[in-house]
Amino acid sequence: MSKEKVIIFDTTLRDGEQAPGATMNIEEKLLIAKTLEKMGVDVIEAGFPAASNGDFEAVNRIAKTIKNSVICGLARAKKSDIERTAESVKPAAKPRIHTFLATSPIHMQYKLKMDKAQVLQAITESVSLARSFVPEVDWSPEDATRSKRDFLFRAIELAIKSGANTINIPDTVGYTTPEEYFDLISAIKNNVSNIDKAIISTHCHNDLGLAVANSLAAMRAGARQIECTINGIGERAGNAALEEIVMAIKTRSDFYGVETDIDSTMISRISKLVSSITGFHVQYNKAIVGANAFAHESGIHQDGILKNRETYEIMTPESVGLEKSSLVLGKLSGRAAFKDRLKEIGYELNEEMLSESFKKFKELADKKKEILDEDIVSLVDDSIVHQKSRYSLTSLEVSCGTNQEASANIKIKIDNDEAETSFLSKDGPVDAIFNAIKKIIPHNANLELYQVQAVTDGTDAQATVVVRLKQNNRIFSANGADTNVLAASAIAYINCLDKLQN
Ligand code: KIV
Ligand code: ZN
């Protein structure tokens, strides 16, 4: 018998992007959206179109590109926001508007400065306006978990009457607990007279580390849409993590009795993509996608695993896309073999992108004997994301040692020109490189983070460097990959400046 479906609503590109430093450019958002679509996400919240022209543009491009997932834009309960959002999602095959208004006493009194009657009036107007543009309207009573229940029920009833077909119950400040949230969803089902005309949705923040547990509790009470993000990124402590929700539903289908349409074998890939684009590393012991999530260290565990994997393994690494990566290509592999491998990994590139990626592959194969899938994913994603970048590294020469100043000579391509300069530093090669870049691309941003990681094992592995810069209270992150860690550092810094200046 087929199980009831739970809708997976991903808000990595909206709530996820609200995390300080997680700002993404359009190409990055598009790549994430395409990967979310490929993995079977039902609804992609692509952004907040009224927030800026860049946000509008990103949602609009995603709406034009994605065909299978619903494309949703967030709007405040304002005419101008809703009209702008409607315009932005208009090209989507399946457009949706998500509009919200706070219903808790503290938000109404201090933030909105609106009384109950004004809030109810605004709900009627905003939801019916949204519904006049699109067939799917998601409505959220912001800070629902700290709202007075009677007023919350009235507000929900009115939103449904005005045309909302999904009612999302946000735990905006991550305050609720599984038992309380279960009880709230049950009370909504029992007290809102027209609730059968809408799908109940969850949106949980992780301030108390309960976002996933709360979402699952609400699902047990009857919620059939879960809002979540890849790697759990989002405001403050983040949102419920998509990968944890999906794998809990799949692994414990005996208990939950529901299913999702997500292809869980894409989890590892999208987790790495989001981590590399945002520069937010995933903690080693993070459930499902942490580097240690499937590592068995103790002798007793290893012995058990060798005898029968199920002794200590409740899900397989393969089920989240962690197949042992095989040696795939090398220096002598041709364009056809490269293209074939790309197809197997799941990429379909146009001729221009294929040529660009193949060129990078050949350069990498000259430096690294064995090219693994992880290397290919890293270089192709990098080509896709940076295809419109103004700056790129042409060459870098560095000299340094224990008893000498470090010197860096760098050439950078800027649009169709090239600039070259040098810098001497007492503080080491990275300082010399970053200062040389600053001479060519002047800026007043501060370096907030510099982090190095290896893409694969081995001393010839590519390094990925994450650079985070802060300028005028806005934080941007970017990465760079190369087998030479100093070149990777220069690329990451240049990429971050490119993001910051666009
Ligand atoms: O956390 C929250 O309340 C939100 C709403 C806009 C749904 O993100
Ligand atoms: Zn939120």
Side-chain angles (χ1 to χ4, degrees), residues 59 61 82 181 242 251 253 272 298 321 445 447 467-468:
V59 175
R61 283 265 306 273
I82 292 169
Y181 200 45
L242 179 145
T251 309
S253 68
K272 287 190 180 121
S298 89
L447 182 67
V467 162
R468 187 167 298 154

Side-chain angles (χ1 to χ4, degrees), residues 64-366:
K64 285 177 183 152
T65 311
I66 302 297
K67 297 286 167 259
N68 300 323
S69 312
V70 172
I71 299 303
C72 179
L74 183 73
R76 286 165 296 189
K78 284 179 166 187
K79 187 168 180 281
S80 54
D81 264 39
I82 292 169
E83 286 173 350
R84 189 100 176 115
T85 306
E87 186 62 28
S88 177
V89 298
K90 200 170 168 184
K94 302 177 203 166
R96 180 187 286 199
I97 294 176
H98 177 189
T99 182
F100 68 99
L101 189 62
T103 49
S104 66
I106 186 163
H107 276 234
M108 283 162 51
Q109 184 182 347
Y110 294 101
K111 188 183 80 172
L112 299 176
K113 301 189 191 334
M114 287 166 88
D115 62 23
K116 286 182 181 172
Q118 289 169 314
V119 167
L120 294 176
Q121 178 70 22
I123 292 169
T124 312
E125 286 170 9
S126 55
V127 175
S128 29
L129 180 63
R131 192 54 206 272
S132 71
F133 292 115
V134 289
E136 292 189 24
V137 173
D138 201 320
W139 183 71
S140 291
E142 191 189 8
D143 204 16
T145 52
R146 293 192 301 168
S147 300
K148 295 267 180 273
R149 286 198 177 182
D150 279 351
F151 183 62
L152 181 65
F153 300 154
R154 272 175 71 197
I156 294 173
E157 211 159 71
L158 199 58
I160 297 173
K161 223 166 114 191
S162 309
N165 24 39
T166 298
I167 296 294
N168 181 45
I169 307 298
D171 184 26
T172 304
V173 290
Y175 178 71
T176 198
T177 67
E179 295 77 10
E180 185 185 65
Y181 200 45
F182 178 97
D183 187 64
L184 176 61
I185 302 297
S186 309
I188 289 170
K189 283 178 67 178
N190 293 331
N191 291 282
V192 175
S193 65
N194 51 2
I195 196 68
D196 58 315
K197 298 193 172 57
I199 289 170
I200 302 177
S201 166
T202 73
H203 178 105
C204 297
H205 281 273
N206 206 28
D207 300 66
L208 293 173
L210 294 171
V212 169
N214 288 338
S215 308
L216 294 171
M219 186 182 82
R220 289 269 287 155
R224 285 294 173 266
Q225 173 178 286
I226 299 183
E227 300 198 2
C228 44
T229 59
I230 303 297
N231 298 339
I233 65 168
E235 279 277 356
R236 305 180 310 278
N239 291 63
L242 179 145
E243 61 279 4
E244 295 179 26
I245 301 274
V246 166
M247 290 314 287
I249 291 174
K250 185 171 172 150
T251 309
R252 296 308 312 274
S253 68
D254 59 320
F255 180 72
Y256 290 118
V258 292
E259 62 187 8
T260 73
D261 281 349
I262 302 295
D263 172 2
S264 65
T265 65
M266 294 215 34
I267 282 178
S268 169
R269 157 109 176 266
I270 193 146
S271 164
K272 287 190 180 121
L273 179 67
V274 169
S275 164
S276 104
I277 284 177
T278 57
F280 287 13
H281 280 307
V282 171
Q283 79 197 50
Y284 271 51
N285 61 333
K286 160 92 173 60
I288 318 295
V289 290
N292 285 351
F294 292 91
H296 301 275
E297 180 64 28
S298 89
I300 296 173
H301 286 212
Q302 287 178 350
D303 180 54
I305 285 279
L306 288 172
K307 287 173 175 150
N308 180 338
R309 294 202 74 87
E310 284 177 30
T311 49
Y312 287 102
E313 209 167 73
I314 59 164
M315 53 199 157
T316 64
E318 289 78 14
S319 67
V320 298
L322 278 176
E323 280 110 301
K324 192 91 202 95
S325 88
S326 49
L327 169 66
V328 284
L329 299 171
K331 202 173 164 164
L332 300 175
S333 309
R335 192 182 159 100
F338 180 68
K339 192 174 172 184
D340 259 19
R341 190 64 210 150
L342 284 183
K343 211 163 168 205
E344 275 169 50
I345 303 176
Y347 288 107
E348 269 172 50
L349 303 184
N350 61 30
E351 279 307 306
E352 192 190 340
M353 284 309 298
L354 181 65
S355 301
E356 174 66 23
S357 305
F358 185 61
K359 192 172 135 239
K360 287 192 178 164
F361 161 74
K362 280 293 190 186
E363 283 164 9
L364 182 62
D366 269 339

Side-chain angles (χ1 to χ4, degrees), residues 427-449:
D427 294 320
V430 175
D431 190 63
I433 293 168
F434 287 5
N435 275 296
I437 294 173
K438 195 172 177 177
K439 276 172 75 183
I440 296 178
I441 310 170
H443 62 87
N444 58 4
N446 286 327
L447 182 67
E448 295 264 301
L449 178 84

